[in-house]
Amino acid sequence: MSAPYDLNDDSVVVIIGSGAGGGTLGTELALKGIDTVILEAGARQEIEDFVNDEWESFGKIAWLDKRTTSGTWRVSKDFPNLPAWIVKAVGGSTIHWAGASLRFQEHEFKTATTYGPVEGANLLDWPLTLKEMEPYYDKAEFKMGVTRTNDIPGLPGNNNFKVMKAGADKLGYKECHTGRMAINSQPRDDRGSCQQIGFCFQGCKSGAKWSTLYAEIPKGEETGKLEVRPNSQVLRIEHDAKGKATGVVYADKDGNQHLQKARVVCVAGNSIESPRLLLNSASAQFPDGLANSSGQVGRNYMRHTTGSVYGVFEKPVHMYRGTTMAGIIQDEARFDPSRGFVGGYEFETLSLGVPFMAAFLDPGSWGRSFSSAMDDYANMAGMWIVGEDMPQESNAITLHPTEVDPFGLPIPNVNYDDHANDVAMRDHAYRQGAALYDAVGAVRTFPTPPYPSTHNLGTNRMSEKPRDGVVNRWGQTHDIANLFVSDGSQFTTGAAENPTLTIVALAIRQADHIAERMGQKTL
Amino acid sequence: MTHSMGYTPLSRRGFLRGSAATAGLVAMTLAGGLLSAPNGAWAFAPKTLKPETARVLVQMARDTYPHDRFSDAIYAQAVAGYDDKAATDAAFQALLEDGVADLNSRAKDGFGAGSYDRVGWEENRLSILRAIAEGPFFQAVRSDLVVSIYNNHAVWEILGYEGSSADKGGYIDRGFNDLDWV
């Protein structure tokens, strides 16, 4: 059979979501000849629809469905209905991502063992090792055209990088360069090279940055084995009396509901919607939600210990020109508890335009302390902190007790408290970041609080034992054999690195596994 | 952006703490001249708000996000948006009129001034704003201003932000790495 597929076709693999996990998995399965349907909640926008305007773009591509927040994290105070800054469109957050593509370090797959007990943290070793992941990291880097791999040169450094590099040298950091980026530094894979446009977060207008929207999904569609249905919001996963997933119910753009039958269901809706869908799919047989015998669905929500440091200099920087994430410092990503915390963090350059700088520099602040910082916008350099945060059971996606969406389903609440380790790490990074800019002659520096989460992780975590998590080493749920999780919610722990490369590597690996099991008729 | 089934997601301002969603930027009304620059460079005639209310709001906008390089026209553009919103939203109109009346009363009590904008020193006006900063009036105005002021292209130009770049070929030949002082 070939796409498009009938609603009653129960031979298809149904994937929910088309981002780094779902878009990659769907394409890989189609390339293997497997009939695949991707249901995407958002619309299909193409490169020509992207706009170099922060607020306008936000209105077009961001996931704006109402969510609530709780807990002591500052995002809940400043952005109570925007816990995450992610995308609702075909391609998912691979439209918005900056392109940083870093492998996890070996010890980051075994944090419980390496870090030992950390009070209040629900640490667990991954049921996977770096060695097992290496062939898939290889494939992911090749697929995405990651710079500094596969003989692909690094990107040229922009002004923001020049400031970072000068400061890194002064502080004695050794691992500072223009990153391993899934952004073409030279034409590759029918896509051109980076034009240093900026606006990476608003969707790459040149297509130099890898996104499933144009770098993967069209290849899957060309095989005739992949159908992507946009504007299709999945409401629940159905199962039979034997506890096997049978299909999913979704609403189309007009709100009409349909049942798409399935042989296999893969959930890849990002770490807020994925557990929400499993919880909203509760039934008489699974009263606590699907795949939730461990009680871990929605728990251990991680979002990286983020924050930013901006510095103002006497002379212009124009940090917004060129690649948003134009450079990285990796020296602090090591495991070194002598710093007062376990885990590590990366520094990555980051810039915001004037509209978003005003919204995010110090949310809620006003007066000359704030406006004088904005006056110096052209002389500002900036970098982002990406560090490993501790998984905590109480940091969780739960169903709101009273508020429902237009389909009558409970909306998600995102609860998050910083762990003491997270705070210690962020404070260390603020100090180091300020010292770095001071070393280059900064006249002021700003410790900017975390933005709404872009790295949402861990809410359907991978575990060796069914009692400790939701999915096994293949992303297959412990409870339901033909139900998989294919996004960052599988992450057992978050590591210091940006998650996309690992999500893509896991999706390639999962596609091999699903194809093999289908071939053996054991799925 | 309108969702199916008539559901409208929150506006961008809805994400900012304590905000009241207001209309977006509108062109300044160049008629009447009830509020105008001494040199005639700009003028703004409020249609719904009292002229004095609009005048005080312009001063309050400047005191909240003070930029000495910005003309009053930039702050008046933000207030013109409030005037439009007030025309269709009586509760919002009342929030502004009552809020400004309160500012004026505090200006009289504290500094013997006829209205908030007649308090001579910024520091004294700030003491008034700090006293009401956690209230709904200030929060509604502030959370809207932080969007409307900094999304104004005239502001971008003054602050040295160049805006859209893809249509100009990006910065690959336009100075992405022109910094020479490090």
Side-chain angles (χ1 to χ4, degrees):
Chain A
M1 278 167 287
S2 63
Y5 296 99
D6 191 88
L7 288 170
N8 289 313
D9 186 342
D10 61 6
S11 71
V12 298
V13 175
V14 168
I15 300 170
I16 300 154
S18 62
T24 301
L25 176 64
T27 300
E28 289 287 310
L29 290 174
L31 289 169
K32 294 172 189 294
I34 293 171
D35 299 297
T36 306
V37 174
I38 294 180
L39 299 172
E40 166 55 52
R44 190 160 188 156
Q45 304 182 40
E46 302 294 347
I47 288 176
E48 53 268 29
D49 300 315
F50 299 157
V51 288
N52 277 188
D53 181 296
E54 290 177 319
W55 280 122
E56 184 184 350
S57 175
F58 185 76
K60 284 178 80 164
I61 67 174
W63 188 289
L64 299 174
D65 295 12
K66 187 173 179 187
R67 291 160 167 171
T68 57
T69 52
S70 56
T72 54
W73 59 325
R74 185 160 161 187
V75 168
S76 183
K77 171 175 171 272
D78 296 326
F79 307 99
N81 297 119
L82 190 72
W85 178 5
I86 57 175
V87 173
K88 186 177 188 176
V90 174
S93 297
T94 65
I95 292 175
H96 163 86
W97 81 308
S101 302
L102 306 171
R103 296 185 181 200
F104 283 15
Q105 303 166 79
E106 187 172 12
H107 71 268
E108 290 172 329
F109 287 101
K110 36 190 182 189
T111 55
T113 303
T114 309
Y115 302 165
V118 177
E119 193 181 341
N122 198 18
L123 287 169
L124 186 70
D125 289 352
W126 287 61
L128 267 179
T129 62
L130 176 62
K131 194 168 176 51
E132 287 174 275
M133 285 296 288
E134 276 170 348
Y136 296 97
Y137 274 138
D138 287 344
K139 288 181 183 182
E141 286 167 348
F142 182 79
K143 171 195 282 291
M144 300 161 81
V146 176
T147 59
R148 291 190 166 81
T149 74
N150 296 284
D151 296 322
I152 301 168
L155 286 158
N158 66 0
N159 292 338
N160 206 14
F161 172 71
K162 284 184 177 181
V163 179
M164 166 188 263
K165 181 70 168 68
D169 290 347
K170 292 240 165 88
L171 259 57
Y173 284 142
K174 303 294 181 206
E175 298 171 67
C176 176
H177 52 74
T178 59
R180 295 172 185 268
M181 306 296 294
I183 298 177
N184 280 351
S185 57
Q186 55 194 23
R188 188 179 187 277
D189 196 26
D190 295 327
R191 292 179 289 114
S193 60
C194 177
Q195 301 300 298
Q196 299 292 333
I197 293 168
F199 294 99
C200 298
F201 291 162
Q202 283 68 40
C204 179
K205 290 292 284 182
S206 78
K209 181 182 80 181
W210 179 88
S211 168
T212 54
L213 173 64
Y214 43 77
E216 298 298 320
I217 286 167
K219 291 174 188 156
E221 289 174 323
E222 274 170 29
T223 67
K225 292 288 187 179
L226 172 63
E227 179 190 350
V228 177
R229 268 177 231 162
N231 303 302
S232 301
Q233 172 98 38
V234 176
L235 308 177
R236 70 177 179 276
I237 299 164
E238 303 250 293
H239 65 82
D240 61 17
K242 292 177 192 159
K244 201 177 147 201
T246 54
V248 307
V249 174
Y250 70 95
D252 66 20
K253 65 177 163 49
D254 301 315
N256 298 315
Q257 297 190 11
H258 308 278
L259 169 64
Q260 172 65 56
K261 291 187 177 173
R263 177 172 171 180
V264 177
V265 174
C266 303
V267 183
N270 208 309
S271 291
I272 297 176
E273 289 305 309
S274 288
R276 177 191 178 218
L277 176 61
L278 295 177
L279 295 172
N280 270 335
S281 298
S283 63
Q285 192 174 340
F286 300 107
D288 298 325
L290 294 190
N292 197 21
S293 64
S294 64
Q296 295 293 306
V297 169
R299 296 190 179 278
N300 312 301
Y301 171 67
M302 296 173 286
R303 41 108 47 222
H304 274 148
T305 300
T306 65
S308 306
V309 179
Y310 289 94
V312 170
F313 299 85
E314 291 180 56
K315 292 183 177 171
V317 178
H318 299 293
M319 65 174 171
Y320 56 85
R321 292 184 184 170
T323 320
T324 303
M325 208 161 268
I328 187 169
I329 298 168
Q330 301 203 266
D331 296 66
E332 301 285 3
R334 68 189 190 278
F335 171 58
D336 174 9
S338 73
R339 291 171 298 179
F341 52 89
V342 299
Y345 64 88
E346 317 269 353
F347 280 124
E348 298 169 349
T349 74
L350 192 135
S351 67
L352 298 172
V354 162
F356 276 13
M357 184 58 73
F360 294 125
L361 176 66
D362 185 14
S365 79
W366 54 282
R368 282 190 189 267
S369 166
F370 175 85
S371 62
S372 62
M374 294 301 296
D375 273 330
D376 287 327
Y377 175 79
N379 293 12
M380 229 181 246
M383 56 188 176
W384 194 43
I385 300 155
V386 189
E388 178 168 24
D389 58 341
M390 291 294 104
Q392 301 180 73
E393 273 204 343
S394 56
N395 286 349
I397 313 305
T398 53
L399 300 179
H400 197 283
T402 54
E403 288 203 53
V404 295
D405 70 8
F407 310 105
L409 296 170
I411 65 170
N413 181 70
V414 182
N415 184 74
Y416 190 90
D417 296 309
D418 285 319
H419 188 279
N421 194 78
D422 307 342
V423 175
M425 179 186 289
R426 183 180 297 120
D427 287 347
H428 187 273
Y430 279 152
R431 285 195 301 275
Q432 290 300 110
L436 184 149
Y437 283 145
D438 285 344
V440 201
V443 292
R444 287 173 79 181
T445 60
F446 310 109
T448 288
Y451 313 124
S453 314
T454 51
H455 299 168
N456 298 276
L457 305 166
T459 51
N460 294 304
R461 74 176 183 178
M462 199 181 265
S463 65
E464 186 183 346
K465 294 175 185 146
R467 68 163 190 257
D468 293 330
V470 180
V471 300
N472 67 15
R473 61 202 313 277
W474 304 106
Q476 179 185 35
T477 62
H478 288 301
D479 299 352
I480 297 176
N482 66 337
L483 177 62
F484 287 75
V485 174
S486 315
D487 58 17
S489 69
Q490 301 173 81
F491 283 23
T492 310
T493 49
E497 291 75 22
N498 310 57
T500 301
L501 181 74
T502 300
I503 294 172
V504 171
L506 286 171
I508 297 169
R509 181 172 172 273
Q510 190 179 69
D512 283 356
H513 179 74
I514 289 174
E516 189 185 328
R517 295 280 306 273
M518 286 175 76
Q520 295 166 345
K521 311 269 189 241
T522 55
L523 196 61
Chain B
M1 217 176 142
T2 303
H3 195 283
S4 56
M5 302 173 68
Y7 169 71
T8 305
L10 296 177
S11 77
R12 63 199 184 198
R13 289 174 184 82
F15 293 121
L16 303 174
R17 179 177 174 242
S19 72
T22 63
L25 275 180
V26 294
M28 199 169 46
T29 309
L30 290 166
L34 283 170
L35 265 181
S36 63
N39 64 2
W42 62 273
F44 158 50
K47 295 184 288 290
T48 305
L49 297 173
K50 292 178 194 159
E52 181 182 83
T53 300
R55 196 183 71 228
V56 167
L57 285 170
V58 170
Q59 185 64 54
M60 176 185 170
R62 179 180 285 284
D63 292 339
T64 305
Y65 293 111
H67 291 275
D68 298 340
R69 288 186 287 163
F70 292 6
S71 72
D72 272 349
I74 284 167
Y75 298 104
Q77 281 186 40
V79 174
Y82 301 155
D83 188 49
D84 274 17
K85 159 106 173 149
T88 57
D89 184 341
F92 183 68
Q93 182 185 5
L95 182 74
L96 295 184
E97 294 288 2
D98 294 350
V100 168
D102 178 47
L103 288 184
N104 289 341
S105 149
R106 289 168 186 267
K108 184 158 189 274
D109 294 347
F111 304 99
S115 59
Y116 171 83
D117 59 314
R118 303 290 189 230
V119 175
W121 285 100
E122 178 181 296
E123 187 52 35
N124 290 337
R125 295 193 301 274
L126 286 177
S127 72
I128 295 174
L129 293 185
R130 286 190 199 106
I132 62 155
E134 295 306 313
F137 165 65
F138 183 82
Q139 285 300 325
V141 171
R142 188 209 61 75
S143 62
D144 186 87
L145 284 175
V146 76
V147 175
S148 62
I149 289 179
Y150 297 105
N151 207 31
N152 183 333
H153 290 212
V155 163
W156 296 359
E157 199 174 329
I158 296 167
L159 297 182
Y161 174 55
E162 296 165 273
S164 178
S165 121
D167 54 323
K168 302 177 189 75
Y171 289 102
I172 193 154
D173 299 318
R174 294 192 310 124
F176 80 100
N177 61 353
D178 64 358
L179 185 150
D180 58 6
W181 54 261
V182 290

